[in-house]
Structures are given as C-alpha cells and as structure tokens.
Amino acid sequence: MNVNPSLKGSTQVLLERRAKAIARGAGMAAPVFAHKAENAEIWDVEGRRFIDFAGGIAVLNAGHRNPIVMKRVQEQLDSFTHTCFTIMPYEPFVALAEKLNELAPISGEKKSMFVTTGAEAVENAVKIARAATGRRDVIAFNGSFHGRTLLTMALTGKIAPYKVKFGPFPGGVWHVPYPIEHKGITVEQSMNAIEWLFKTDVEASQVAAIIIEPVQGEGGFYVAPKELLVRLRKLCDEHGIVLIADEIQSGFGRTGKWFAMEHFGVEPDLMTVAKSLASGFPLAGVVGRAKIMDAPDPGGLGGTYAGNPVACAAALGTIEAFEKEGLLDKAAQQGKIVTKRLQAMKAKGKGMAMGEIRGLGAMIAFELVTEHGGSKPDAAGAKALAAKCLERGLLILTCGVFNDTIRLLCPLSAPEKIVEEGLDILEAALTGN
Ligand SMILES: Cc1ncc(COP(=O)(O)O)c(C=O)c1O
C-alpha cells in the first residue's frame, strides 16, 4: 500500500498534536493514525498494515469501502448532499425506510425514521414510546450500553468510563439484572427484579418502555436467554409497555441474521439500528409498529442532518452488498471459524488464561481470567492483549462490565485467509510466541 510520503514518520508528531488539540475525554484504543483501508485491512500513516477485528466498533460488517457501497455513495455525491429531509424530502430516505420496514422482524404494518447516531436513535425510540403510551418511565438492564447523551447514559448500565462525573441523569429510568448464567444471574432473578420494581418504585402503568440489547455489546457480548425475551414480551403485552430492542451493535447481519431478535422468535415493538447499517457513514434509525411510530405529532421527530442522503445511499448500498455477497451466510461461517479457533486456543491452556467464550453468529467474545481454569476477571490482561495484538498488526477491542473481555468484529466480507491470519496473530499474542 502506497503511503503519502509527507505523512511517513509523522506518528509521534500526530500523537503530540492530538494530545494538544483534542479533549482528554476522547480516549484512544490504538495510538496509530489511519491512512487507508480496504475490506478488513487498514494501513497507517507509516505504511504498517493492520487486520481489522474492530470494525470501527461494529460498523464495518460489509467491510471498509465496500465497492457496492462506494458506488452508491459516489452517485449520491454527484447528485446532492443535503436538503434536510423534513425541509425537502428525497428518495433514498424513503427507499431505505421501505427496505428497513421489510427487514425488521416485526409483523404487521411498520414505519421507520432516521437520525444520525445510535444514541439519538435510542432517545427517539424512548420519545416515541412515551408519545404512544402517555407514560414516562423506562426499564433498562445492568451492563447495557445505549449511548453517551444524558438520557442514554441514564439508560446505560455501566458506570466507568461512560457515566463518571456526568450526573445527574434524567429520572424515570430503572435498572434490573441482565441474566448471565456463568455469573449465577438467572432469568427468574431478572423477572423478579421487574416485579419488585412494580411494587417498590414504579407502577407498571407508568412504564412506557423496556429496552434491551438482545446481545449486549459494550457490556460483554452476553446473549439474552430466549426465555427472558419471551417473558418480557408477555409482560409488556400484559401492561401495555413498549418493548424496544436496541440492535445497534447486534444488528445488521453480525449474528448471521439481519437482526439478533430473529434468533429468538420474539417481536419487539420498536427497534433501534445504527453502526453497520451505513458502513461508516453516520446514520441511525428507529423501526417499529406503524401505530406506535406514528404517535409523535408532525415536527416532533427530526434533526438537521437526520437521514443524510449520502448516508442513506450508503445504507442502501450496504443492504445490496449483503444480498449480493451473501454476508449473512458469511457471518455464520465466520462465527464458526472464530469460535472453533478460540476453543482450541483455550484448550491448549498456554500463555494468558482465557475464560468463557460466547456470542451469537460472528458476534464473538472471550474473557481473560487471572488463571487457567479460574473465573476472576483480568482487565489488565485484556488491555495488555489488545496492545500486544496491535504491535503484531491486529486491531481488537475490549469490552465487558469488568473490562475483561475481548470482542472480535472482523468484517463479514473478509476473506477466510485474513480471518485466519488475524486469529494466528491473536494466538501468538496470547501465548507470547
Ligand atoms: C447497543 C448500543 N446502543 C447504542 C449505542 C450508541 O451508538 P452511538 O455511539 O452511535 O451513539 C451503541 C454504541 O456502541 C451501542 O452499542
């Protein structure tokens, strides 16, 4: 890969400029500067190559600069880049809504709306649920992540680093445990916690929505037990509560289906989407039952850049790429390859100690623990492993309530050879070879 000669050798200078110009709160997982990317590979300004198992945090399921996406984007760029959809509408927004309504695993008539970021989609899902029910409160889960705005931080069930120093948060938000089998938290405990909440803190008749990630993302790739989702659906029906599935990280093909909820056969009322929806262009949305989606009055939903035409074109290209390149099947295949290799690494029991391996489709993660066969979370180990992988040319991300988990989010479009090469680097870094 050709590197711009004026950038070569500039990493240290760029890091210094970054430190001087950018607020400290914007963290940095990898102290290297991107220069070019193609499918599952990134080259930095020095010309070093990295295999990308981070996908810009789950955004590149269809790969960097997927040609089908780029073609749609280019066509849109040549046409127009902004009018504001609520001022003068445009076809790609409508076409994307039609497509999303078709794909969403919700029966009956559906409608969609688009915004710019995932947090904004979650905010809007809550606004819509409140307008539809005339109620205020929302129940969310421990370990969840729903964004960095004040309401979505209130919904987020993990303190550091997201919520530190930023309170108070909006009221009317309650948290209950997310069932995690190997931590001894059962579905029964989660459901009991909601029943208790209804007796001790908020009447069921005041609850507008329950929001859940069917597979927790930042929280550590925990897959919701089917029983939980079935029981939540029933509870919501009993009490007139809107069930919101936050599919911002688990959606758009990552799990081998368009949406993780499809694995459980449970329909949410509303669903939030973002990240891999538009392959790196800022776009997010809410899709759901038409009657609920239509509750806010005209003018109640929107935003200057909401559903930007270039981002909508990128999303239409992403869907086309999924269909033409069979990316849902590839997700299932990649999931199998990654899981098998991780299980083999764990079985060898060499080097750093691996804990539970879990996930759904190609949304796979593993924990690091302080000793082989143990269960004590090793956050320092996870951080060290990410740094070692980076040195060896592999980009991975940590996650988890205890920051002890490594998540693997290689583009689904990556050739098998590259997936294996990335896993070889991971194994070498784990074992110190
Ligand atoms: C499940 C979930 N919801 C919401 C968000 C927030 O999305 P954004 O960062 O685009 O605001 C994220 C981001 O990681 C997420 O994983």
Side-chain angles (χ1 to χ4, degrees):
M1 179 64 55
N2 288 335
V3 175
N4 179 348
S6 69
L7 289 173
K8 197 147 174 76
S10 63
T11 299
Q12 195 49 41
V13 175
L14 286 170
L15 285 171
E16 281 158 22
R17 280 173 57 197
R18 184 195 194 279
K20 211 162 165 204
I22 313 287
R24 209 167 58 93
M28 174 167 55
V32 294
F33 279 78
H35 176 57
K36 203 145 185 12
E38 210 68 63
N39 202 356
E41 296 164 282
I42 309 181
W43 287 264
D44 80 347
V45 291
E46 311 292 349
R48 288 175 297 205
R49 168 183 175 259
F50 297 89
I51 293 178
D52 188 5
F53 276 17
I57 324 187
V59 170
L60 294 156
N61 287 350
H64 288 275
R65 305 179 70 249
N66 185 300
I68 298 174
V69 176
M70 297 314 286
K71 184 169 176 282
R72 293 269 195 149
V73 166
Q74 194 54 56
E75 282 164 8
Q76 186 56 46
L77 284 173
D78 290 342
S79 185
F80 65 95
T81 59
H82 179 79
T83 60
C84 184
F85 185 74
T86 49
I87 301 303
M88 186 187 282
Y90 36 86
E91 196 270 346
F93 192 117
V94 179
L96 182 61
E98 288 166 349
K99 202 76 197 163
L100 192 58
N101 296 342
E102 213 179 286
L103 297 177
I106 301 171
S107 53
E109 203 193 331
K110 283 162 275 180
K111 287 199 172 182
S112 289
M113 55 87 70
F114 297 109
V115 283
T116 313
T117 67
E120 215 185 341
V122 173
E123 292 259 356
N124 277 280
V126 172
K127 278 165 60 178
I128 293 165
R130 283 181 175 171
T133 58
R135 307 172 182 183
R136 192 192 74 159
D137 287 46
V138 185
I139 298 174
F141 285 82
N142 296 148
S144 62
F145 182 82
H146 297 293
R148 291 176 181 273
T149 58
L150 281 166
L151 176 64
T152 56
M153 268 190 290
L155 293 168
T156 290
K158 181 181 171 188
I159 300 289
Y162 313 121
K163 299 170 82 157
V164 175
K165 298 187 183 178
F166 296 139
F169 303 110
V173 173
W174 309 95
H175 286 101
V176 294
Y178 194 89
I180 301 175
E181 198 183 330
H182 85 292
K183 302 246 184 248
I185 308 170
T186 63
V187 171
E188 208 53 43
Q189 283 167 350
S190 300
M191 297 308 295
N192 282 344
I194 298 177
E195 291 299 342
W196 270 103
L197 210 60
F198 290 165
K199 297 278 178 255
T200 58
D201 289 296
V202 55
E203 287 165 67
S205 63
Q206 293 306 305
V207 176
I210 296 180
I211 182 164
I212 184 160
E213 292 165 86
V215 185
Q216 284 195 335
E218 308 298 305
F221 282 28
Y222 291 107
V223 183
K226 179 174 174 166
E227 188 198 343
L228 175 79
L229 296 168
V230 170
R231 290 178 67 176
L232 285 179
R233 179 68 273 169
K234 193 161 168 272
L235 188 87
C236 286
D237 290 342
E238 259 168 44
H239 296 289
I241 297 169
V242 173
L243 182 61
I244 305 172
D246 182 347
E247 291 253 20
I248 286 168
Q249 193 152 161
S250 60
F252 260 80
R254 191 75 225 166
T255 67
K257 296 194 184 285
W258 283 109
F259 299 101
M261 287 302 279
E262 293 172 57
H263 291 275
F264 306 99
V266 173
E267 291 189 9
D269 299 304
L270 299 179
M271 221 170 61
T272 52
V273 293
K275 292 195 183 273
S276 279
L277 162 69
S279 296
F281 290 82
L283 186 70
V286 184
V287 53
R289 296 191 199 285
K291 220 170 142 211
I292 298 176
M293 289 295 293
D294 272 339
D297 295 325
L301 305 176
T304 307
Y305 300 112
N308 169 272
V310 183
C312 287
L316 287 164
T318 303
I319 295 169
E320 188 187 334
F322 260 81
E323 288 166 350
K324 290 201 167 135
E325 297 175 11
L327 295 184
L328 293 181
D329 290 340
K330 286 193 177 161
Q333 277 163 25
Q334 189 185 108
K336 280 187 196 141
I337 293 169
V338 173
T339 307
K340 201 167 156 207
R341 283 288 305 271
L342 291 178
Q343 280 164 348
M345 289 178 212
K346 186 177 170 183
K348 285 184 198 161
K350 287 200 195 131
M352 300 175 90
M354 293 169 74
E356 195 188 53
I357 300 162
R358 58 174 171 263
L360 194 60
M363 191 172 178
I364 309 283
F366 63 94
E367 288 178 356
L368 281 165
V369 289
T370 52
E371 55 184 331
H372 290 283
S375 61
K376 199 166 162 217
D378 185 5
K383 195 172 169 199
L385 180 62
K388 280 188 208 172
C389 284
L390 190 73
E391 267 171 32
R392 292 161 185 257
L394 174 70
L395 197 56
I396 54 171
L397 294 176
T398 58
C399 64
V401 175
F402 299 98
N403 301 315
D404 58 341
T405 304
I406 300 287
R407 52 181 152 169
L408 304 178
L409 292 162
C410 184
L412 306 173
S413 49
E416 206 175 309
K417 211 169 100 216
I418 298 241
V419 178
E420 293 283 5
E421 187 186 344
L423 291 166
D424 290 343
I425 297 175
L426 176 67
E427 181 161 10
L430 261 169
T431 53
N433 286 331

